[in-house]
Amino acid sequence: MNSDDFSSGSAIMSRPGASDEYHGTMFAKPTLEQFSLSKYLSEYQGRVKIRRALYLGERCPELTVESYQIALDEIKRSTTDIALHGRVFKSLEQLGEAVESDAQWTDSVRKANNATYDMLTAELSKAKQQHVKKDALRAQDGLAHHKARMGSMNEALRALQDARDYCSSIDDQVQLVLKSAWISQMMGKWLQVNSYVQR
């Protein structure tokens, strides 16, 4: 995977004969002429790709429209996050872009989200009533995954915390810790990530 910083030293061209006060070499200001945003972002997928695209779009005006469009496409491809989709869609409209309406996608995803939630909560309730820990763990883990895809990270983390009651092995516990660390990372809660990693 490439470095997180697309303006790393390998992307900077030196000017022969120039010098600076520190290292004896003056570097030319990097440009975007040979930078392919789509190629760079193709190294990532899912939430990481979305976050990176939005980060670049917010900080580099020349890439804003393309970055937001890539983010919007990835939101639709890999998540069911209606709220984030709406924010990025609105940002493109405010930039004067003629963005095709995604009302049909939004409606279908909202219905699918509700149906999935109802199914998983029914499975969890049944497993609790029958005292089947394995099924309860699977349903609780499914709820966490569902909430994470929707962008409801706090609810996803809470679901994983509740799932601990149904762990029957060390491996179950390790999987929950790793998933909790990933969600905390997506939320930018780095102290919490560190806490999970040290367990």
Side-chain angles (χ1 to χ4, degrees):
M1 187 173 291
N2 291 340
S3 167
D4 282 354
D5 182 6
F6 73 87
S7 60
S8 59
S10 61
I12 301 175
M13 304 298 292
S14 61
R15 291 190 303 181
S19 65
D20 67 16
E21 60 182 304
Y22 296 108
H23 307 293
T25 304
M26 175 66 79
F27 293 105
K29 182 178 180 181
T31 67
L32 296 172
E33 292 177 3
Q34 297 183 359
F35 175 70
S36 170
L37 179 64
S38 59
K39 182 178 179 181
Y40 170 74
L41 291 175
S42 69
E43 300 289 332
Y44 305 92
Q45 59 183 346
R47 290 270 171 193
V48 176
K49 182 175 184 176
I50 294 165
R51 288 167 63 97
R52 194 158 293 281
L54 294 177
Y55 180 89
L56 290 173
E58 290 165 0
R59 287 160 179 78
C60 185
E62 297 90 341
L63 298 176
T64 298
V65 171
E66 186 182 1
S67 292
Y68 284 4
Q69 187 60 65
I70 290 174
L72 194 66
D73 291 342
E74 186 65 16
I75 290 168
K76 292 169 64 177
R77 189 192 71 79
S78 64
T79 81
T80 57
D81 195 337
I82 295 172
L84 181 58
H85 175 275
R87 290 196 296 273
V88 177
F89 187 90
K90 185 176 181 180
S91 295
L92 280 168
E93 286 188 323
Q94 290 174 342
L95 289 169
E97 292 299 304
V99 190
E100 186 177 346
S101 174
D102 281 334
Q104 185 176 356
W105 179 86
T106 301
D107 290 342
S108 64
V109 168
R110 182 178 289 109
K111 291 176 182 177
N113 282 345
N114 291 336
T116 300
Y117 177 77
D118 290 343
M119 179 191 69
L120 289 169
T121 52
E123 288 180 2
L124 178 60
S125 178
K126 180 180 178 181
K128 286 180 176 180
Q129 290 173 0
Q130 296 179 347
H131 304 287
V132 183
K133 293 180 71 172
K134 184 177 180 180
D135 290 348
L137 176 61
R138 184 168 52 247
Q140 197 72 58
D141 183 66
L143 279 170
H145 178 72
H146 177 58
K147 290 295 183 179
R149 290 195 75 219
M150 291 175 60
S152 302
M153 297 301 179
N154 281 318
E155 293 181 37
L157 199 57
R158 195 176 307 119
L160 288 175
Q161 291 168 349
D162 291 342
R164 290 181 299 184
D165 295 336
Y166 309 113
C167 290
S168 56
S169 68
I170 295 297
D171 185 59
D172 289 342
Q173 296 175 21
V174 169
Q175 290 302 314
L176 290 183
V177 167
L178 292 175
K179 291 173 183 178
S180 297
W182 180 85
I183 291 175
S184 296
Q185 177 188 352
M186 291 297 102
M187 297 170 70
K189 294 187 175 182
W190 299 107
L191 289 177
Q192 201 163 300
V193 172
N194 188 55
S195 174
Y196 284 121
V197 169
Q198 291 179 355
R199 289 186 180 183

